[in-house]
Amino acid sequence: MNIKKLSALTACILLISSLTACTVTDTDDPGAENTVLKEDLSVVNENTDLTKGSDAAPSISENFDGLEPLAKKRGSALMKLMDDQAASDGKALMIYNRKEAWNGAEYNADVYRGNEIEVSGSFRSANPAVRVSIQFTIYGNTSYNMVFSVDTNESSYTQGSGRYIIPANAENIIVYIESDNLEDIYADNFSVNVAGEYKYYAEAEALVFADTSDYPSLKEKYGDHFLIGTAISPTSIDTPEYSALIKAQFNSVTLENDMKPEGILDHNKTVADKEKYMECPALKFDHLKAELDFARDNGMTVRGHTLVWHSQTPDWIFYKDYDVGGELADRELMLARMENYIKGVMEWTNENYPGLISAWDVVNEAAADSGGMRESLWYKTIGDDYIGKAFEFARKYAPDGTKLFYNDYNSYMAGKQSVILDFLRPVAEAGNIDGVGMQSHINTDINQIIYMTALKKYHEELGVEIQITELDIGTNIKNDSWQDIQGEYYKSYMQKLTELENSGVPITSVTLWGLSDAVSWKASECPLVFNADLSRKPAFDGMIAAAEQE
Ligand code: G3I
């Protein structure tokens, strides 16, 4: 059976796992109190049935009260079972020694392939947010997708849960716990269960790609209005079927992860000579080359994403001696590091790929969900003018013609918009910002009139252009017509954007956040315009129809 034969909903995505006889409690810190060492494996997780090939639904259920967790460490993280730290009685899992945000705890989940899973857990961490994510590979493409996230705090546990449909074509399926930062994470009552009837897939089903060669082209249809972009990864451009479709449909790309500070900051080199790199952390760029070459060689422009962000920015950059746990760097030192980082990235890209990057997301997501500015480590070390400073440095080092953007999600919401406008007004007055990026991770319940009114307001109040930078329109509708409803939404959304652009609002680019539902960061909501096999969804047809109608 290929994916086309699955029901519409199942065709959209797929996920999770197999647990073999796991083990491992890392106790690399033998001096630590409360560490429980391996003694008797027989009592561990006795309610866990993960027999491969069985018709019985598998289940991961961990309260961490045994002697060994089923979880394995991910990346450099270490794990300990802790007494007196549990959400209720017993023990909790402490995940520590995290050197990158994705370091954490993981579970192999191959036995859940082709099924919908329900994942649940309670978490505690000093710095939000903890995420449960899922990784899998389809036809050589590895994607990392969110199942759910919880806003954690240091003093009490926050429970979260989420569902995810794992494609039947997925291999190497891993469910993992990570966060936005490097704080220790405490986890308790973690479970992964099958939602609905279980079907066992011994192997990943073959993925038969649709013939995409006769699709109308989005970039051609919208050529008179704005650029049309997509987010790319190194594996997506390496997959011939994906790269052919990217080239045919898009004239702009954003590197989904690789231009973020996490990948560019060179920790090893920096800490090897702290004195030399004290104000100017070492940078590395080799991992960007394949994607930037792809864009350049295929005549596409690149949105640079992103310079100053609270997430996917390693904590060590904010500490005086690059030593997390030590003292935070002071304002002057952080301003120097910020300036040198922006300078270094601008210089390298301009020298190696002159003219390729048309826009930079200089600051990303500085507004808090709860109102006001996000109290990130940029904010804590520099103060509330860090946004203005970032734009000042970006203007100083950006080549002429490169547009400087502020980028955020839920930025159409009135409360968040007023916070964003407040902190961007002085930046606009200083002439250091060219545009606002509305990420637009939205869903079919969002009122398009409210959204378009907010879009226009950014232009009118700040005198800047607008780009839609990370568009995906999810849906929670579960009936048979969900794809058509989503298609209609895409169509009327694009019609409204085009009308606004025709009326003089400078909308200069619309970027979809990924190519197909299989590789979307929120794949469980099937938010993009191509199915996993690259067959076109009503969402794609809706975008085309909107361009043809105006
Ligand atoms: O980077 C590591 C990689 O080095 C490692 O080998 C691999 C092994 O596990 O994990 C990788 O990390 C994953 C990373 O994507 C891929 O580079 C993370 O676990 C995963 O959480 C991360 O997710 C990305 C997310 O940003 C992180 O916040 C998504 O792919 C990406 O789509 C998403 O994009 C953000 C925008 O930048 C900003 N706006 C919101 C949007 C959606 O969250």
Side-chain angles (χ1 to χ4, degrees):
M1 178 170 74
N2 76 32
I3 196 162
K4 287 182 199 159
K5 296 181 189 152
L6 297 174
S7 73
L9 185 60
T10 316
C12 149
I13 324 163
L14 338 190
L15 211 299
I16 295 208
S17 116
S18 89
L19 265 216
T20 48
C22 290
T23 48
V24 282
T25 301
D26 265 282
T27 51
D28 295 20
D29 188 359
E33 287 176 21
N34 300 323
T35 301
V36 177
L37 296 167
K38 176 167 139 184
E39 284 173 39
D40 178 5
L41 288 179
S42 64
V43 299
V44 175
N45 288 293
E46 47 200 330
N47 57 349
T48 302
D49 176 6
L50 293 164
T51 320
K52 276 198 168 183
S54 152
D55 285 340
S59 167
I60 296 170
S61 178
E62 293 235 74
N63 58 16
F64 303 108
D65 291 346
L67 300 173
E68 294 265 356
L70 287 169
K72 292 197 269 187
K73 73 192 201 72
R74 183 173 178 83
S76 70
L78 299 174
M79 303 186 302
K80 268 188 264 183
L81 293 172
M82 303 291 286
D83 289 320
D84 306 326
Q85 301 285 350
S88 44
D89 295 333
K91 302 177 194 129
L93 181 71
M94 180 174 82
I95 307 162
Y96 65 108
N97 194 49
R98 302 176 55 239
K99 306 281 190 212
E100 297 197 64
W102 58 271
N103 295 172
E106 67 177 35
Y107 297 84
N108 180 290
D110 287 335
V111 289
Y112 294 93
R113 173 184 301 120
N115 290 273
E116 184 173 15
I117 53 166
E118 167 131 38
V119 187
S120 169
S122 292
F123 305 96
R124 186 159 76 69
S125 184
N127 206 351
V130 171
R131 266 197 306 278
V132 174
S133 303
I134 183 160
Q135 162 188 341
F136 52 84
T137 302
I138 296 181
Y139 197 64
N141 262 278
T142 301
S143 62
Y144 307 92
N145 311 306
M146 185 176 75
V147 182
F148 66 90
S149 79
V150 282
D151 269 346
T152 46
N153 65 74
E154 192 165 16
S155 52
S156 60
Y157 277 84
T158 310
Q159 198 264 344
S161 64
R163 286 188 173 204
Y164 200 96
I165 303 170
I166 304 171
N169 332 82
E171 299 177 285
N172 303 324
I173 305 160
I174 294 169
V175 172
Y176 60 103
I177 300 166
E178 60 174 345
S179 79
D180 268 350
N181 49 71
L182 306 185
E183 296 285 349
D184 296 345
I185 300 171
Y186 291 86
D188 207 353
N189 302 326
F190 186 81
S191 64
V192 183
N193 288 304
V194 175
E197 208 172 310
Y198 175 63
K199 176 161 184 219
Y200 175 66
Y201 293 79
E203 292 176 358
E205 289 190 341
L207 181 61
V208 179
F209 283 108
D211 177 4
T212 65
S213 59
D214 62 347
Y215 292 179
S217 165
L218 289 170
K219 70 177 176 190
E220 283 167 19
K221 296 284 176 190
Y222 285 96
D224 291 340
H225 296 285
F226 27 71
L227 294 164
I228 294 282
T230 187
I232 59 167
S233 67
T235 47
S236 72
I237 57 166
D238 251 8
T239 307
E241 291 82 355
Y242 282 26
S243 72
L245 187 57
I246 293 169
K247 287 185 234 174
Q249 295 292 331
F250 304 102
N251 47 20
S252 171
V253 291
T254 305
L255 278 54
E256 185 173 1
N257 284 296
D258 291 325
M259 289 186 107
K260 295 171 178 174
E262 182 171 82
I264 291 179
L265 285 162
D266 190 335
H267 181 254
N268 291 344
K269 199 166 168 189
T270 303
V271 298
D273 192 345
K274 289 183 184 176
E275 211 170 306
K276 174 175 174 193
Y277 294 113
M278 184 48 64
E279 296 195 344
C280 185
L283 309 181
K284 54 184 162 65
F285 297 100
D286 281 355
H287 63 295
L288 308 179
K289 289 181 180 165
E291 289 159 281
L292 296 181
D293 286 352
F294 174 83
R296 183 198 54 207
D297 297 347
N298 291 294
M300 299 163 172
T301 190
V302 173
R303 295 199 79 262
H305 175 75
T306 173
L307 294 167
V308 174
W309 190 23
H310 68 279
S311 180
Q312 287 179 290
T313 302
D315 289 15
W316 56 264
I317 189 78
F318 298 99
Y319 285 83
K320 194 172 158 208
D321 294 319
Y322 295 124
D323 181 14
V324 179
E327 213 182 309
L328 278 175
D330 62 24
R331 173 180 163 87
E332 292 316 311
L333 184 53
M334 279 317 294
L335 282 172
R337 287 180 186 172
M338 179 195 264
E339 176 165 5
N340 284 317
Y341 179 78
I342 291 173
K343 178 173 182 251
V345 175
M346 292 282 187
E347 283 179 352
W348 185 87
T349 46
N350 196 36
E351 225 164 81
N352 293 280
Y353 296 91
L356 185 63
I357 299 178
S358 53
W360 268 105
D361 290 331
V362 176
V363 177
N364 198 39
E365 302 175 0
D369 292 325
S370 52
M373 284 178 72
R374 187 188 296 276
E375 294 188 10
S376 67
L377 286 169
W378 286 115
Y379 175 94
K380 284 182 182 152
T381 52
I382 294 179
D384 61 6
D385 63 343
Y386 85 90
I387 298 172
K389 286 289 179 191
F391 277 95
E392 190 184 311
F393 299 144
R395 186 62 96 211
K396 186 168 164 190
Y397 299 107
D400 285 348
T402 305
K403 301 285 178 70
L404 304 180
F405 275 75
Y406 174 77
N407 191 45
D408 214 331
Y409 61 89
N410 290 348
S411 46
Y412 65 88
M413 292 180 173
K416 202 156 179 182
Q417 178 166 46
S418 109
V419 171
I420 293 171
L421 286 171
D422 281 351
F423 62 60
L424 289 185
R425 260 184 217 105
V427 187
E429 277 158 21
N432 288 337
I433 182 170
D434 302 304
V436 166
M438 295 178 73
Q439 291 186 6
S440 309
H441 298 294
I442 54 179
N443 64 64
T444 52
D445 296 333
I446 304 297
N447 182 312
Q448 292 185 1
I449 306 290
I450 292 175
Y451 176 101
M452 297 295 161
T453 306
L455 184 157
K456 207 170 161 202
K457 190 168 177 182
Y458 282 116
H459 164 62
E460 287 170 348
E461 297 227 354
L462 300 172
V464 296
E465 62 185 75
I466 308 295
Q467 297 194 343
I468 310 304
T469 54
E470 304 181 16
L471 179 64
D472 48 21
I473 305 175
T475 179
N476 296 316
I477 300 165
K478 297 285 184 215
N479 62 31
D480 286 349
S481 50
W482 72 269
Q483 285 232 18
D484 294 329
I485 294 166
Q486 183 187 45
E488 279 305 313
Y489 191 98
Y490 260 100
K491 181 177 167 189
S492 96
Y493 173 86
M494 292 305 291
Q495 273 170 338
K496 290 190 178 67
L497 279 190
T498 313
E499 280 162 21
L500 275 183
E501 199 267 340
N502 283 340
S503 74
V505 179
I507 299 169
T508 51
S509 171
V510 176
T511 295
L512 288 158
W513 203 238
L515 189 63
S516 78
D517 284 340
V519 293
S520 159
W521 73 290
K522 52 174 195 179
S524 57
E525 289 180 39
C526 307
L528 291 169
V529 303
F530 298 110
N531 290 306
D533 63 353
L534 304 186
S535 55
R536 51 204 265 192
K537 292 170 65 182
F540 175 78
D541 294 332
M543 285 184 81
I544 294 290
E548 286 174 342
Q549 267 179 23
E550 59 90 29

